[in-house]
Amino acid sequence: MVASTTIAKEVLKKAFSTLCTAKSMTELYEENFKTVSKYVHATSRGHEAIQIAVAMQLLPQDYAFPYYRDDSMLLGIGMKPYDLMLQLLAKKDDPFSGGRTYYSHPSLNDNDKPKIPHQSSATGMQAIPSTGVALGMQYKELVGLNNKNLKDKPFVVCSLGDASVTEGEIAEAFQMAALKQLPILYLVQDNGWDISANEAETRAQSAYEYAAGFHGLEAITIDGANFTESYIAVEKAIQIIREERRPILIHARVPLLNHHTSGVRMEWYRDDLDEARSRDPYPVLRNQLLEAGFTEEEVNHIEDNAKQTVAKDLQEAMKAEDPTPEDLFTHDFAPTPIIEETGERSPKEKEEVVMVDCALFAVEELMKKHKECLLYGQDVGGRLGGVFREAATLAQKFGDERVFNTPIQEAFIVGSTVGMSAVGLKPIVEVQFADYIWPGLNQLFTEVSRSCYLSNGKWPVSMILRVPIGAYGSGGPYHSSSVESVVTNIRGIKIAYPSNGADLKGLMKAAYYDPNPVVILEHKGLYWSKVKGTDAARTIEPSEDYMLPFGKANVVQQIWPQDETETLTVVTYGMGVHWALNATKDIKEAVEIIDLRTLYPLDENAIMESVKKTKKCLVVTEEPTNNSFARALSGKIQEECFRYLDAPVMTIGSENMPAIPLNSTLEQTMIPSTEKVKKKIEELLNY
């Protein structure tokens, strides 16, 4: 197959019709500004030619990540103006999000169109998830999970504005695409502007020049306002990607002929509008039709038809039903099949093992059973198997294509799971220490956690993020932090924090079969039970089919209701369970201990029932208590159980200092301990 040097008449006609439709939509929106600008929108005016050139060459097996100015691309893959207008007006039947997100923020999973996972408007955020799709495609081809009946191998297109290429996460995506030679097309539409800042103020070089620094990422630059030039360049690039399976970047120079958004008007700051209008792609493509033999009458008919269709569709969309209040509460999570504890927790034939081994065995069993399961992160590959040896031997057993090291790229590690999940894989990824999770929070919050909700249930992200956490052995300020308060403030993810090996294995298995994103916080001080008083973290290894549903707390120390003795409930998780167990050895009959096991979903029933029984409550955490998850939980308990309480709900955690010091004396002064918890329990019992 050789890329063409001319364009067929039917291709030109379809492209012009699509461009006229997009142009007419922009003009109609301006004419009806007060009506359609209730919600902010941006249009593709000036960018139409390159967007349509790409869209017309995509197939249903391909994946596309348009950005918020790509309504022409959406029209080009077969969406109707009415479809886009339902989103413009945030209507109930908006096919992308059910009225939840902005115009031209698509998510699509139709059989006859390219697949479009959810992405946010955060600039450049789509680069990592889209590269994750390409990484997933490559893996599926390596292990034979791809559809072998396809004539054309699928690829990914990631559409970006040139201003977004200054984002650090773009570099992570380009680096992985070049390193792994992934089948992805980065389409960079360069109109010379951010919002009011222009390229001279904000960019040291164009995206084309920037790409030269990534060896293995071929780049070309074209006039993106010329449809014929764009179509031929895109055709050639796509052919190479489909056949040679390597990344290409197209830098398309385009004018921006409309406002940045409906809320940021071009006349407020633009000084180049006349020059931009001289590069309008519309008259260029119109002339190309005439040169190809279309008559003026035929061209006029295409233009008139587009205007009539757009006007009719807007009238229909304005009549469409709005979402109801009840629609707010759907698709925050996809339903999980794991709702009951199953399998043997303590098989007689199994031996007691340390917590880290329970996790290792769980991942190994999952990888044996499911080719879709991969493990990646920093240093988890064959040479080391994780800094805690939590992945020891897995690369040797399953190969480097399934267990592999990534660069130091927490954002890519987290965000790539969106793409991996979208192509039907189940990634288990690791952040080396909780202290290193911060660069990945952007992707976790904006893409991973919101995908199911903002795609109206079409694209839940099925992934597991393992995070070693907590203070142990003088780890100092960069290897000891607790971060659960930040993570629990991200809605749309599930969070486990087990205190022992059996729970870790059972929750890991449940997380694998859960179609939603799961963060597992694993206290590194419990991994080998080397910390004094943590022997209970060692357990009999559960059976392979053992699963522990999320949202089911464990009463690790239970008491009966007592009328004449002061009693108390300790609510805790992770290392706190062991502090509580050790602190109450001599008063077991007076203290009930609830091990949350999962921080979201939270087993509120178990907590409230216990507190109503004991009349007093202490929440134990390793985090500093100010503004913490534990303090919020204490407030919730106080609110729910106020009529039953004999004392205020109290909280104990680390001292409220900025970081955990390296010196062992300072570390122990900072964090809770058995003795500190015991003292607090005695204070509360005597209240």
Side-chain angles (χ1 to χ4, degrees):
M1 176 181 174
V2 178
S4 63
T5 56
T6 57
I7 304 294
K9 286 186 67 174
E10 285 307 305
V11 171
L12 286 172
K13 181 180 179 181
K14 183 178 179 183
F16 185 65
S17 175
T18 306
L19 192 155
C20 287
T21 302
K23 176 175 176 287
S24 298
M25 288 165 66
T26 299
E27 291 167 351
L28 188 64
Y29 295 167
E30 286 298 298
E31 291 168 14
N32 295 270
F33 181 77
K34 288 186 178 179
T35 301
V36 304
S37 292
K38 178 180 180 181
Y39 308 109
V40 173
H41 66 269
T43 71
S44 59
R45 190 71 189 93
H47 291 226
E48 301 99 332
I50 183 61
Q51 290 182 21
I52 296 166
V54 171
M56 290 180 67
Q57 300 183 66
L58 297 178
L59 300 173
Q61 63 263 33
D62 298 327
Y63 281 69
F65 286 73
Y67 85 118
Y68 57 78
R69 199 174 299 287
D70 281 354
D71 57 2
S72 288
M73 187 180 295
L74 297 173
L75 292 169
I77 66 168
M79 302 303 292
K80 304 300 181 187
Y82 179 74
D83 299 325
L84 303 188
M85 291 166 178
L86 289 174
Q87 188 176 49
L88 174 80
L89 301 169
K91 296 294 186 176
K92 180 183 180 74
D93 292 331
D94 153 29
F96 303 130
S97 72
R100 289 174 173 168
T101 194
Y102 297 100
Y103 178 73
S104 199
H105 285 57
S107 55
L108 201 63
N109 200 3
D110 292 354
N111 290 331
D112 63 339
K113 297 182 185 71
K115 308 302 174 279
I116 306 179
H118 157 77
Q119 66 250 286
S120 68
S121 357
T123 308
M125 290 290 285
Q126 67 272 36
I128 285 177
S130 60
T131 308
V133 167
L135 186 62
M137 285 179 175
Q138 183 184 73
Y139 169 72
K140 291 176 75 173
E141 289 169 19
L142 282 170
V143 300
L145 287 172
N146 57 314
N147 186 344
K148 296 177 182 177
N149 296 322
L150 289 175
K151 176 188 170 191
D152 297 296
K153 288 184 178 179
F155 79 104
V156 189
V157 58
C158 172
S159 179
L160 300 158
D162 193 62
S164 72
V165 179
T166 58
E167 284 276 8
E169 292 186 7
I170 302 291
E172 294 192 19
F174 287 2
Q175 180 74 242
M176 282 297 287
L179 177 68
K180 299 286 187 179
Q181 289 295 283
L182 302 178
I184 185 166
L185 171 65
Y186 296 108
L187 170 64
V188 181
Q189 301 174 56
D190 184 359
N191 61 38
W193 289 92
D194 294 19
I195 298 180
S196 65
N198 63 31
E199 59 188 339
E201 296 173 76
T202 59
R203 305 202 271 292
Q205 66 280 307
S206 71
Y208 169 70
E209 294 162 330
Y210 183 57
F214 297 90
H215 297 171
L217 175 59
E218 180 183 345
I220 61 171
T221 185
I222 63 170
D223 178 3
N226 184 311
F227 175 77
T228 298
E229 180 180 337
S230 296
Y231 190 91
I232 292 170
V234 168
E235 182 181 42
K236 182 178 179 181
I238 290 177
Q239 177 187 337
I240 290 170
I241 296 170
R242 289 201 196 280
E243 295 176 359
E244 299 180 24
R245 317 309 280 157
R246 60 182 175 89
I248 293 179
L249 181 145
I250 295 179
H251 171 249
R253 302 179 304 281
V254 292
L256 179 59
L257 300 181
N258 197 36
H259 313 294
H260 170 73
T261 66
S262 55
V264 182
R265 314 294 286 173
M266 57 187 172
E267 57 268 17
W268 295 347
Y269 59 88
R270 292 282 295 277
D271 55 9
D272 66 338
L273 289 173
D274 288 340
E275 188 278 332
R277 288 171 185 138
S278 73
R279 296 186 289 125
D280 188 342
Y282 162 70
V284 176
L285 183 52
R286 194 181 194 280
N287 287 336
Q288 288 172 352
L289 255 72
L290 295 172
E291 290 169 0
F294 289 91
T295 66
E296 187 74 30
E297 184 180 2
E298 288 173 319
V299 171
N300 289 338
H301 177 73
I302 294 171
E303 293 170 328
D304 292 342
N305 188 57
K307 289 177 183 177
Q308 292 170 15
T309 299
V310 165
K312 174 177 170 292
D313 281 5
L314 182 59
Q315 291 302 312
E316 291 300 314
M318 289 170 65
K319 298 174 191 173
E321 184 182 354
D322 284 320
T324 65
E326 292 75 21
D327 292 325
L328 174 69
F329 301 101
T330 60
H331 302 302
D332 51 342
F333 291 98
T336 177
I338 311 303
I339 55 175
E340 298 291 341
E341 187 171 0
T342 58
E344 282 192 81
R345 183 178 175 90
S346 303
K348 293 177 182 177
E349 73 277 7
K350 291 286 187 81
E351 296 181 355
E352 191 176 85
V353 296
V354 293
M355 189 168 166
V356 73
D357 283 347
C358 276
L360 175 64
F361 298 152
V363 175
E364 182 174 343
E365 289 167 358
L366 288 167
M367 295 190 81
K368 279 182 180 176
K369 193 171 183 179
H370 302 284
K371 259 189 172 180
E372 297 81 11
C373 181
L374 302 91
L375 174 69
Y376 57 95
Q378 294 165 30
D379 296 305
V380 302
R383 291 190 189 91
L384 187 60
V387 294
F388 299 105
R389 305 293 287 153
E390 74 281 6
T393 74
L394 291 179
Q396 289 85 348
K397 290 176 180 176
F398 298 105
D400 293 337
E401 70 275 6
R402 291 186 71 186
V403 181
F404 57 90
N405 294 326
T406 64
I408 301 172
Q409 293 184 345
E410 285 81 11
F412 185 88
I413 291 167
V414 174
S416 62
T417 64
V418 176
M420 286 282 197
S421 175
V423 296
L425 301 175
K426 181 78 178 199
I428 302 174
V429 297
E430 294 192 10
V431 169
Q432 206 165 73
F433 291 90
D435 305 74
Y436 302 165
I437 200 172
W438 310 117
L441 283 185
N442 202 11
Q443 288 287 330
L444 187 64
F445 175 78
T446 311
E447 309 302 317
V448 174
S449 71
R450 296 178 167 193
S451 182
C452 186
Y453 187 68
L454 291 181
S455 70
N456 224 19
K458 293 189 296 294
W459 294 103
V461 178
S462 188
M463 59 85 85
I464 300 172
L465 172 59
R466 297 180 64 187
V467 184
I469 193 170
Y472 161 65
S474 296
Y478 308 113
H479 303 80
S480 308
S481 297
S482 294
V483 301
E484 58 265 30
S485 291
V486 173
V487 178
T488 51
N489 263 288
I490 301 175
R491 280 54 166 173
I493 59 175
K494 298 185 179 182
I495 305 155
Y497 200 147
S499 66
N500 61 75
D503 285 354
L504 177 51
K505 185 173 184 182
L507 290 166
M508 184 86 73
K509 290 295 184 73
Y512 184 84
Y513 295 105
D514 195 313
N516 300 289
V518 174
V519 176
I520 303 183
L521 304 173
E522 304 173 19
H523 199 294
K524 60 184 189 288
L526 300 178
Y527 268 156
W528 299 283
S529 293
K530 289 182 178 179
V531 176
K532 184 180 178 182
T534 60
D535 288 343
R538 297 169 60 99
T539 62
I540 299 293
E541 185 202 346
S543 63
E544 182 173 350
D545 61 348
Y546 179 66
M547 280 186 275
L548 187 59
F550 277 58
K552 302 289 185 183
N554 184 26
V555 183
V556 295
Q557 187 166 285
Q558 191 168 23
I559 64 172
W560 298 104
Q562 298 173 45
D563 294 328
E564 298 181 6
T565 304
E566 295 295 313
T567 57
L568 174 147
T569 297
V570 172
V571 179
T572 188
Y573 52 92
M575 184 65 81
V577 174
H578 302 277
W579 289 326
L581 286 169
N582 292 316
T584 59
K585 280 182 179 177
D586 299 330
I587 49 171
K588 289 182 179 180
E589 71 284 350
V591 180
E592 186 153 290
I593 301 173
I594 306 289
D595 179 358
L596 294 178
R597 300 201 285 204
T598 64
L599 308 187
Y600 194 87
L602 191 63
D603 192 345
E604 293 186 13
N605 289 336
I607 297 167
M608 305 310 170
E609 285 177 13
S610 178
V611 175
K612 289 174 183 178
K613 175 175 65 176
T614 65
K615 309 294 191 290
K616 294 180 180 180
C617 180
L618 175 66
V619 179
V620 179
T621 179
E622 189 173 317
E623 279 194 298
T625 53
N626 283 2
N627 306 309
S628 65
F629 165 79
R631 186 59 60 78
L633 179 55
S634 296
K636 176 74 173 175
I637 295 168
Q638 187 111 323
E639 185 180 319
E640 294 282 327
C641 301
F642 183 77
R643 292 184 298 117
Y644 301 86
L645 293 171
D646 290 340
V649 178
M650 294 188 180
T651 310
I652 184 172
S654 291
E655 300 295 334
N656 292 293
M657 302 306 292
I660 297 176
L662 182 64
N663 177 271
S664 58
T665 299
L666 296 177
E667 179 188 58
Q668 291 307 309
T669 304
M670 171 92 174
I671 66 175
S673 64
T674 295
E675 291 72 26
K676 292 177 186 178
V677 171
K678 184 176 182 180
K679 184 178 179 181
K680 195 72 175 178
I681 288 172
E682 290 171 348
E683 175 191 340
L684 192 48
L685 284 172
N686 293 324
Y687 185 88

